[in-house]
Amino acid sequence: EDQVTQSPEALRLQEGESSSLNCSYTVSGLRGLFWYRQDPGKGPEFLFTLYSAGEEKEKERLKATLTKKESFLHITAPKPEDSATYLCAVTYGQNFVFGPGTRLSVLP
Amino acid sequence: GAVVSQHPSRVICKSGTSVKIECRSLDFQATTMFWYRQFPKQSLMLMATSNEGSKATYEQGVEKDKFLINHASLTLSTLTVTSAHPEDSSFYICSARKGLAGPYEQYFGPGTRLTVT
């Protein structure tokens, strides 16, 4: 069964405490994997697109990586303003499916 | 850039009335737009895909007669919730896809909070 999962469901970090979020997928014919950030009451904000295993993208404190089965979003020295829900999504065939998200809280 | 707007951002309506939500791509042409629904603390659920000039494709379980979608131009799609009921209260988000092929990024609007009383 095609599936997209994310872990952990929720994560609390102290400011400066680096960590990683996971997005695992079991789909056939992956065309792309996307990371979005969503703040409460707002639409998702596009962060990264990854297309093939081994690919990496970076933006400020965030770095996304992709393997054949999963993607990681690494957050280095997070700040309170990084608190949000991080969503991954995959596209395969004509499908575009979101994972359930990871709610990140960064405490000052 | 890739900016998508939605209007209104919040709407409260009475049960039985209809509500129209607009989604616009402001700085690019979007041949395909998508409508999602999101419940509190849950991820986005795709409702329908709309292509400019053609009928929308609805996901399984979504009532096409209740959620009317029109994509009349390359920059505007509308979602009309007809005969709204309290269970239709939700956060509705649209997105737009740039281009016809290649990168499949979707750019999202800020969402519309619908409350049906």
Side-chain angles (χ1 to χ4, degrees):
Chain A
E1 179 186 351
D2 295 333
Q3 196 167 239
V4 183
T5 60
Q6 289 187 247
S7 62
E9 181 177 329
L11 180 63
R12 297 181 74 174
L13 300 173
Q14 290 295 132
E15 184 172 2
E17 179 186 2
S18 301
S19 188
S20 296
L21 313 182
N22 176 267
C23 172
S24 295
Y25 58 93
T26 53
V27 303
S28 299
L30 180 77
R31 294 173 55 193
L33 185 143
F34 310 88
W35 282 98
Y36 291 87
R37 168 193 170 131
Q38 186 177 26
D39 292 300
K42 296 187 178 181
E45 174 190 347
F46 173 76
L47 294 174
F48 302 110
T49 306
L50 301 166
Y51 292 105
S52 56
E55 191 174 359
E56 298 182 352
K57 295 272 181 77
E58 282 190 73
K59 180 181 178 181
E60 297 179 352
R61 294 179 292 281
L62 300 176
K63 179 180 178 180
T65 61
L66 180 65
T67 72
K68 289 185 177 181
K69 295 182 179 181
E70 59 192 349
S71 176
F72 291 94
L73 183 66
H74 307 278
I75 303 178
T76 302
K79 298 182 178 181
E81 53 261 41
D82 295 323
S83 298
T85 295
Y86 289 85
L87 299 162
C88 72
V90 300
T91 180
Y92 59 103
Q94 297 299 315
N95 303 293
F96 189 98
V97 178
F98 275 95
T102 292
R103 293 192 308 277
L104 174 66
S105 299
V106 182
L107 307 177
Chain B
V3 181
V4 177
S5 70
Q6 273 184 249
H7 178 79
S9 58
R10 289 179 177 271
V11 58
I12 301 173
C13 70
K14 292 187 176 181
S15 187
T17 61
S18 295
V19 174
K20 180 185 284 188
I21 303 170
E22 290 188 350
C23 176
R24 294 181 184 272
S25 56
L26 299 184
D27 53 0
F28 65 100
Q29 293 185 332
T31 54
T32 305
M33 288 185 169
F34 305 85
W35 287 95
Y36 292 84
R37 185 172 180 176
Q38 188 175 33
F39 291 105
K41 295 190 177 182
Q42 293 188 23
S43 193
L44 286 76
M45 292 182 57
L46 180 64
M47 298 174 65
T49 301
S50 80
N51 292 294
E52 186 263 339
S54 62
K55 290 184 178 181
T57 302
Y58 292 82
E59 295 299 301
Q60 192 172 8
V62 177
E63 299 176 61
K64 61 181 181 181
D65 294 330
K66 180 169 190 60
F67 298 100
L68 301 179
I69 292 172
N70 183 277
H71 192 162
S73 77
L74 287 172
T75 60
L76 173 65
S77 177
T78 61
L79 168 68
T80 301
V81 183
T82 62
S83 187
H85 289 94
E87 57 265 31
D88 298 324
S89 299
S90 189
F91 192 51
Y92 292 87
I93 309 174
C94 73
S95 71
R97 174 186 169 186
K98 290 177 75 171
L100 293 172
Y104 200 74
E105 295 106 357
Q106 292 185 26
Y107 296 89
F108 287 82
T112 296
R113 173 77 58 194
L114 170 63
T115 303
V116 185
T117 61

